[in-house]
Amino acid sequence: MSSGRGHPLAYPITVTIGALAVCAAWAPFGTPDQVAAIGAVALGILGYTGYRLAVAFGLLPFRRSGAARTVRVTRIRQQHRLDSRSWLQIDGTGRPRWLPVYFDPALIILTETEAELTDRTIHIAGRRLYPVGRISDTEPPGRLIDNPSRPDPDAAALTAKATRLRRRLLLDAQPTVAASVAALLWVYLDGGGFPVFLAATTIAAAAAIWLSAIRGSDPT
């Protein structure tokens, strides 16, 4: 589902490239063991990103049935611990189901509407949404906030605020509070001084931001 502010996958891909760049920047200064650890982090980022993008682009099915059908969908926003994600509640399949999707500014004004659902894609009014994972039969945990029944008159201002790169990075950076703890653990196990601590902290923080982004964080 495209918007004037870019493809919904542009942000998670950009953050992925940034995380890999951080790993590459520190690798030349590490010992063989440290370089191996950095490489393992980079491979994990690449592998998990590849899986998420395969689901998003329809290379992997996210439904049990391959039959296309028209369903009713409602966008809900999930707040669970430090996570905030967009989900589509799907009705018309016998019982409610929930599908996590990457954030698109158009979701802000989405009201209950019809969508075309297949085993690999979902379209609303001819526009494509990009799933983060598979359809779930279980209601997402945490606090679920339904979209208003009518579009918000301040949607333009909310969209401009939500799509700012700085805002998205700051919101996704919340889990980085544990980065220094992970770095201290690495220094304790591997040794090294402040440069090693700084490198480990930076890499852990970049990985934490990447994980939030690739899992479909919602900045609203």
Side-chain angles (χ1 to χ4, degrees):
M1 194 176 198
S2 300
S3 72
R5 292 184 172 270
H7 197 281
L9 298 176
Y11 172 72
I13 291 176
T14 299
V15 174
T16 298
I17 294 173
L20 293 173
V22 171
C23 293
W26 283 110
F29 304 101
T31 65
D33 287 343
Q34 292 166 353
V35 172
I38 293 173
V41 172
L43 285 175
I45 291 173
L46 283 172
Y48 193 61
T49 299
Y51 168 74
R52 290 290 190 180
L53 293 182
V55 173
F57 282 111
L59 302 179
L60 297 175
F62 55 85
R63 291 192 73 224
R64 299 189 185 95
S65 171
R69 63 188 305 176
T70 299
V71 295
R72 300 290 297 180
V73 297
T74 304
R75 181 248 183 166
I76 58 175
R77 181 163 56 88
Q78 175 200 27
Q79 289 183 333
H80 181 56
R81 298 173 182 170
L82 295 179
D83 291 334
S84 180
R85 305 172 72 187
S86 279
W87 292 71
L88 295 179
Q89 180 174 311
I90 301 171
D91 296 299
T93 58
R95 58 178 177 177
R97 290 187 169 92
W98 293 266
L99 176 67
V101 294
Y102 282 99
F103 173 75
D104 187 297
L107 292 172
I108 294 177
I109 59 172
L110 182 68
T111 57
E112 184 179 359
T113 188
E114 290 187 347
E116 182 181 344
L117 180 69
T118 72
D119 63 336
R120 296 179 186 271
T121 60
I122 183 167
H123 291 82
I124 296 178
R127 298 184 298 182
R128 182 172 178 174
L129 290 168
Y130 292 88
V132 179
R134 299 177 182 275
I135 287 178
S136 173
D137 295 330
T138 306
E139 183 177 272
R143 182 186 178 196
L144 303 180
I145 304 171
D146 293 332
N147 258 22
S149 58
R150 297 180 180 179
D152 193 320
D154 297 326
L158 292 174
T159 299
K161 181 179 179 180
T163 53
R164 291 173 185 162
L165 180 60
R166 178 183 295 182
R167 173 184 171 83
R168 299 201 68 173
L169 289 174
L170 285 176
L171 291 175
D172 287 345
Q174 295 180 75
T176 62
V177 294
S180 59
V181 177
L184 286 173
L185 180 61
W186 174 255
V187 171
Y188 174 77
L189 294 174
D190 189 63
F194 180 74
V196 174
F197 172 77
L198 180 61
T201 300
T202 306
I203 292 172
I209 295 173
W210 158 79
L211 186 59
S212 293
I214 204 63
R215 293 182 68 246
S217 59
D218 186 321
T220 59

